[in-house]
């Protein structure tokens, strides 16, 4: 059979990249509009049996799922962001989510996601979807609406952390005739305000000042949790 196809030809969402020799099969490599590379039978592509890498079927499933009249809602937008960061390799956040192996129980089930997490809170504050245990994905029992302050209290250790302890860092402050370095303990209070406590390394020494900052922050977190701050057990891990 004469396959009329050239590199760069486009069929549906697929762009031909080149032929792949594999036994007697006429296989070509294609790049989908979604960014995915795939190998497909050229006959099926030319004659319209295959129009994408498979993402068209997923999109069709999503459209069927939008019978809830909530496609413009905050809940639906949040769900779509989750699906993108877990399954779309071109998403800027993919490496921190799907790239880490995290999964979502609600990949093709917005209604199930909505039943699990509930409606967006109507108290005038800003919320986003939070994973209660950051080591787990968007799975049953592990998602909730959380404020920015709650999210901050539930974060793991930042990749830029250099002290080894979340919320404790060193800062240099000028004095009249010299500069002094401080070990700083940082906490977020219930009302969202940031509280800092500085311990002078000049006065106490570097390691003692650092240890004092660590102890102070732990004590603050314990006290805040008694008041309902909800710092998670894995915060900073």
């Amino acid at each position: 059979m004469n396959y009329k196809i050239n590199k760069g030809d486009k069929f549906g969402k697929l762009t031909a990249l080149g032929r792949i020799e594999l036994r007697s099969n006429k296989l070509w490599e294609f790049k989908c509009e979604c960014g995915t590379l795939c190998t497909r039978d050229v006959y099926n592509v030319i004659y319209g049996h295959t129009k994408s890498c498979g993402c068209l079927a997923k999109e069709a499933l999503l459209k069927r799922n939008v019978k809830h009249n909530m496609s413009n809602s905050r809940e639906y937008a949040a769900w779509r962001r989750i699906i993108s960061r877990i399954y779309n390799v071109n998403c800027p956040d993919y490496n921190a989510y799907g790239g880490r192996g995290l999964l979502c129980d609600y990949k093709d089930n917005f209604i199930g996601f909505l039943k699990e997490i509930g409606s967006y809170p109507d108290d005038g504050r800003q919320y986003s979807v939070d994973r209660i245990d950051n080591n787990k994905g968007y799975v049953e029992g592990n998602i909730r609406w959380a404020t920015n302050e709650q999210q901050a209290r539930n974060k793991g250790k930042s990749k830029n952390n250099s002290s080894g302890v979340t919320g404790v860092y060193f800062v240099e402050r000028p004095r009249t005739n010299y500069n002094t370095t401080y070990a700083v303990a940082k906490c977020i209070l219930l009302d969202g305000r940031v509280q800092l406590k500085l311990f002078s390394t000049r006065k106490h020494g570097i390691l003692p000042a650092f240890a004092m900052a660590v102890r102070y922050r732990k004590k603050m977190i314990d006290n805040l949790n008694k008041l309902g701050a909800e710092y998670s057990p894995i915060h900073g891990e």
Side-chain angles (χ1 to χ4, degrees), residues 187-236:
C187 284
I188 299 176
L189 302 180
L190 294 178
D191 58 7
R193 290 183 297 116
V194 174
Q195 177 168 308
L196 303 177
K197 179 71 173 179
L198 281 66
F199 299 88
S200 171
T201 61
R202 184 182 180 88
K203 177 180 178 181
H204 303 289
I206 295 177
L207 293 180
F210 178 75
M212 293 169 71
V214 172
R215 288 196 300 270
Y216 179 84
R217 188 172 191 274
K218 184 179 185 305
K219 182 178 179 180
M220 281 295 298
I221 288 177
D222 289 342
N223 290 336
L224 287 168
N225 277 346
K226 291 177 182 178
L227 298 174
E230 297 182 340
Y231 272 97
S232 73
I234 64 169
H235 173 71

Side-chain angles (χ1 to χ4, degrees), residues 117-158:
I117 198 169
S119 298
Y120 188 95
D122 186 20
D123 60 7
R125 295 188 292 174
Q126 295 294 316
Y127 287 83
S128 58
V129 179
D130 179 43
R131 287 172 294 120
I132 297 170
D133 184 341
N134 281 311
N135 294 318
K136 297 180 180 180
Y138 296 91
V139 296
E140 184 178 356
N142 198 47
I143 58 174
R144 63 176 180 177
W145 293 111
T147 63
N148 291 337
E149 292 78 19
Q150 288 175 313
Q151 291 263 22
R153 297 176 189 127
N154 193 34
K155 286 184 177 179
K157 187 184 300 177
S158 168

Side-chain angles (χ1 to χ4, degrees), residues 2 22 30 37 65 73 90-91 94 120 127 141 151-152 157 161 170 176-177 182 186 205 215 234:
N2 183 22
L22 184 62
F30 296 87
L37 297 177
N65 219 356
S73 67
N90 296 307
C91 175
Y94 175 80
Y120 188 95
Y127 287 83
Q151 291 263 22
K157 187 184 300 177
N161 181 283
F170 290 96
T176 303
N177 299 317
Y182 294 91
K186 176 182 177 181
R215 288 196 300 270
I234 64 169

